[in-house]
Amino acid sequence: MSRFELSIFDPNTLLPHRAGIAGLALVLSTLEINDAPISWETDEDTVTLNWDCSDKEAIDWLVNQAYQIDEGMLNVPALNLSGQGKFTFSQGVTSTFLQHSKQRTLDKTPILIPFKVDENQPEILVSHRSMIDCYYLRDFKGVFNSKNKFSSSISIKGHHLPGLVECYINGEYEESPSGFIPLLFLPIACNYYLLQNGRYALVIPEVKNLKSWVCRRRQLSNRSYRDYRSPSAGEAALRLLLEESLSENLQLQKVEYCEVYQLGKQPWDGNQSGLKQAVYRVRASSQILSVYQSAIEFFPSKVKITDKGESWLAMSKILPWIAENLVNGKPWHGKFYEFRKSNANDLKYERKGLISMTDHLQTQEKTLFDSVQGAFSVYLVGQIKQATKQGRPLDYAQVTDKVIHRLQRPSTQQEFATALVDFLSQFRSKAARGLGREIYAWIHGEEWRKARDLTMLAIATYQSKKKESAAESNPDLVEIPDSVDDEVDGYQEEL
């Protein structure tokens, strides 16, 4: 008789093992123990397996209950996936655990599958190669001996842990049978994301209670194509943590952190197209998740249509920058000075969301931010009057670029402090009155670069107060001052 006690609190287990035990618990929760060649028990932290048959017969039965191919897609009946859910799960596993062509066989001819992402938008067509078979549905080589018993040591490759590379000095990574079993069910516990530039993110959650996690996984398993797309690995991690934090039944055993494997093509080795490019361990507080939740509302993915009538899902350029700041424990607007330099043309299309995000500035940050916006408002009024006297319309873009260049050109703390003080002194506003000490502390302290970020952000997100109510009534319009009718009126650019 064989007996395995798989505990998520075993000190010899890593995060992937613990998630794999959770995936196994999910599968077992949907099976009937009668007439099964094995028996099992599951509590809050342990899965216990018993069988009298051979190890091979028991594992083959378990894996066949967990995985199947349905309409050319890898499916897990325990997850109860919809059409889009099956596609995202199958595509995610194929691109991570089964990334190597030796681990799966796909149809050579791709087909186009239509998905409805937004009710009022055309369907999106995605390419898919039907799966014929894969590692999980084959005989496991090197796992069992001639008597169909577990080998004492089992070699682990990329189909168990994505991106795992053989060590040319110590050989392949070896695992015990009790460590190997959870890795067979690890794909069931993970979330998968297609990133920009064709990269993939595999997110492995922390599991602290098997029963509550199984209940939550069923709620989150039916992911749509929009859920499958993410602009960055950091954003993918925050999305999982946010989803978990919103679950009422996991407040006592909530997922506090996760690991993200970012995989992508490697130019130096064509045979290893999915090696890990980065590994993140992400932990986020409730305050960080609150800021991120606002960010995903302000910068959603949108269905776009090309000139040829083809539809596609456009991802935000600002959201991954915000996510990376939050993941690294920095303010959401960190390094806006550099970000704006590289993405000046893209910012105008998501300016409305960026304006809304400034509500999350802290009180100290708001002091400097409002002072700069107040001075910029006074500056614009002067430019409008000058343009009116000369009988020409105000070129807002040119005027703004002059101010940005004026405050962006300084490269040292002293130069920036001089430029900002000159600007605030020349264009005095009510917002800066009585705040001399606070502004001095910003520009002469250790956080002067953060002050530079806030200064650039203040100018990039400026809008006329008279236009704020109009913008709120139509969030798809971007407001950019351009007229003399208001202090800084605006034209509307449809996204």
Side-chain angles (χ1 to χ4, degrees), residues 166-174:
E166 177 181 354
C167 176
Y168 293 101
I169 298 177
N170 300 314
E172 296 179 339
Y173 176 73
E174 301 291 331

Side-chain angles (χ1 to χ4, degrees), residues 36-66:
I38 69 173
S39 61
W40 62 85
E41 295 179 3
T42 303
D43 57 27
E44 284 77 8
D45 55 60
T46 304
V47 173
T48 304
L49 301 174
N50 296 278
W51 57 75
D52 294 321
C53 58
S54 68
D55 294 338
K56 184 178 187 305
E57 182 181 351
I59 294 302
D60 285 348
W61 183 84
L62 259 178
V63 173
N64 287 332
Q65 299 301 312

Side-chain angles (χ1 to χ4, degrees), residues 193 195 201 203 230-241 258 260 292 323:
Y193 301 90
L195 308 179
V203 185
S230 175
S232 72
E235 195 275 337
L238 288 177
R239 190 183 306 183
L240 180 138
L241 294 176
C258 61
V260 186
Y292 167 70

